[in-house]
């Protein structure tokens, strides 16, 4: 039986998505590389024989999602790995961003991923196999000022994906959340959503964060090629974890935040436990 997998990768024109496509192809697998503009995908699939296919996909459009998936199924007959990588950054204090910008960020980072997953799941259920990779971020676990909306899109993806993992585990479908720290990609480019009007009161908080993000572009700790190889390795490992926290900066952020959260919860624990009825015990599912 062939161990060659068919990957369906969104956001494959740049960054982690592009490196993941390259790594999967290098491992001998088949890749359906998807992006809004396919001209940046052609060099990925050229000279790959029957192992590569470039497809135009706007993850926020229902027709585009359905057509892209059908094209992949028509060509290869199945999807073994769905990698939801497409995403969009958004900066700004909560009060500065208008609701249309918030919704735009959620459409790409959250709804696009879950809608594609919902389209692929019937095929994976029928096969009783498959792997879903949802690319989140370390700020899907640790909220940061100025990135509140971006964090919220990733927190939502984290919760939905963790619940999904429990729902499909017995159906032969594996699920992995990828939580990178800072990686040298094009993520800090012109596609980031920013407020049209800035509020001076927030400048002392959000200003230094945005300056640091901008000045750090191209100098981040993370190597996207290595990250991609680890993601491919996780898919090929039957014991793949639910979470892949990528990068020393991500691990440091999580360690600090989890310790801070634990201490914060513990301070009022006794008082909070007193809210239970004394004569009732409940089992948490």
């Amino acid at each position: 039986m062939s161990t060659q997998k068919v990957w369906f990768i969104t956001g494959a024109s740049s960054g982690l998505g592009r490196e993941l496509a390259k790594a999967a192809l290098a491992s001998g697998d088949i890749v359906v590389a998807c992006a809004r503009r396919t001209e940046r995908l052609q060099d990925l699939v050229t000279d790959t024989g029957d192992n590569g296919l470039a497809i135009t996909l706007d993850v926020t459009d229902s027709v585009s999602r359905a057509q892209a998936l059908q094209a992949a199924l028509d060509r290869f007959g199945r999807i073994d790995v769905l990698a939801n990588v497409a995403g969009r950054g958004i900066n700004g204090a909560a009060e500065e961003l208008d609701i249309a910008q918030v919704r735009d960020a959620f459409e790409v980072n959250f709804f696009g991923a879950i809608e594609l997953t919902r389209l692929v799941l019937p095929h994976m259920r029928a096969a009783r196999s498959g792997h879903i990779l949802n690319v989140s971020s370390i700020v899907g676990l640790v909220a940061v000022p100025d990135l509140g909306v971006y964090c919220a899109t990733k927190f939502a993806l984290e919760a939905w994906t963790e619940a999904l993992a429990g729902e499909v585990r017995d159906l032969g479908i594996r699920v992995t959340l990828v939580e990178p720290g800072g990686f040298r990609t094009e993520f800090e480019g012109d596609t980031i959503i920013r407020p049209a009007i800035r509020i001076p009161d927030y400048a002392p908080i959000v200003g230094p964060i945005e300056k640091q993000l901008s000045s750090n572009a191209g100098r981040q700790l993370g190597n996207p090629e290595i990250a991609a190889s680890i993601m491919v390795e996780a898919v090929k490992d039957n014991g793949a974890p639910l979470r892949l926290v990528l990068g020393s900066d991500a691990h440091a952020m999580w360690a600090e935040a989890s310790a801070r959260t634990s201490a914060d919860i513990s301070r009022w624990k006794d008082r909070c436990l007193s809210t239970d009825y004394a004569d009732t015990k409940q089992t948490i599912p």
Side-chain angles (χ1 to χ4, degrees):
M1 180 178 177
S2 173
T3 58
Q4 190 179 46
K5 297 181 182 296
V6 178
W7 292 66
F8 188 99
I9 303 174
T10 72
S13 62
S14 64
L16 281 177
R18 183 177 180 84
E19 294 302 331
L20 180 59
K22 290 164 62 177
L25 285 166
S27 76
D29 286 344
I30 295 168
V31 168
V32 179
C34 304
R36 286 179 298 167
R37 296 183 297 274
T38 56
E39 62 268 18
R40 296 192 64 181
L41 300 175
Q42 295 307 321
D43 65 318
L44 280 175
V45 299
T46 300
D47 300 327
T48 61
D50 293 330
N51 283 359
L53 176 65
I55 294 181
T56 300
L57 169 63
D58 178 353
V59 298
T60 68
D61 183 83
S62 60
V63 173
S64 181
R65 291 191 297 260
Q67 290 178 340
L69 179 60
Q70 192 59 54
L73 292 172
D74 288 345
R75 175 74 174 269
F76 300 114
R78 69 186 195 279
I79 301 294
D80 299 310
V81 185
L82 169 62
N84 287 306
V85 186
R88 190 172 186 188
I90 179 167
N91 295 136
E95 190 181 351
E96 292 179 322
L97 292 158
D98 66 50
I99 196 62
Q101 292 176 310
V102 174
R103 292 183 189 279
D104 284 348
F106 267 91
E107 285 294 337
V108 177
N109 296 350
F110 180 62
F111 289 112
I114 70 171
E115 290 287 25
L116 261 177
T117 302
R118 283 160 46 83
L119 281 177
V120 171
L121 278 173
H123 303 280
M124 290 185 173
R125 282 194 293 105
R128 284 300 191 266
S129 69
H131 200 136
I132 296 165
L133 282 175
N134 283 340
V135 175
S136 175
S137 167
I138 188 57
V139 298
L141 292 170
V142 182
V144 178
D146 185 56
L147 302 178
V149 172
Y150 182 73
C151 295
T153 66
K154 296 303 187 179
F155 267 67
L157 186 63
E158 292 268 339
W160 187 84
T161 303
E162 186 169 350
L164 174 68
E167 294 164 359
V168 302
R169 183 181 301 116
D170 294 340
L171 302 176
I173 303 168
R174 294 179 295 154
V175 178
T176 299
L177 274 159
V178 182
E179 295 145 338
F183 277 77
R184 294 185 193 179
T185 67
E186 300 172 25
F187 192 71
E188 287 298 320
D190 295 335
T191 61
I192 290 182
I193 301 170
R194 292 184 170 88
I197 299 174
R198 307 311 296 252
I199 299 174
D201 283 346
Y202 296 114
I205 298 296
V206 305
I209 294 172
E210 292 185 9
K211 183 177 180 180
Q212 180 182 7
L213 289 172
S214 178
S215 63
N216 201 36
R219 300 166 53 196
Q220 297 95 330
L221 288 172
N223 183 329
E225 292 184 23
I226 298 175
S229 69
I230 291 174
M231 292 161 69
V232 171
E233 183 181 348
V235 166
K236 294 183 181 297
D237 185 342
N238 290 329
L242 173 61
R243 286 185 163 84
L244 283 175
V245 179
L246 297 175
S248 60
D249 54 345
H251 277 268
M253 284 179 67
W254 170 243
E256 180 182 347
S258 58
R260 184 172 62 245
T261 300
S262 180
D264 188 44
I265 292 173
S266 295
R267 284 198 310 124
W268 281 63
K269 181 179 178 180
D270 291 342
R271 274 167 283 191
C272 292
L273 290 177
S274 70
T275 60
D276 292 354
Y277 280 110
D279 61 347
T280 304
K281 290 185 178 180
Q282 182 171 338
T283 302
I284 300 174

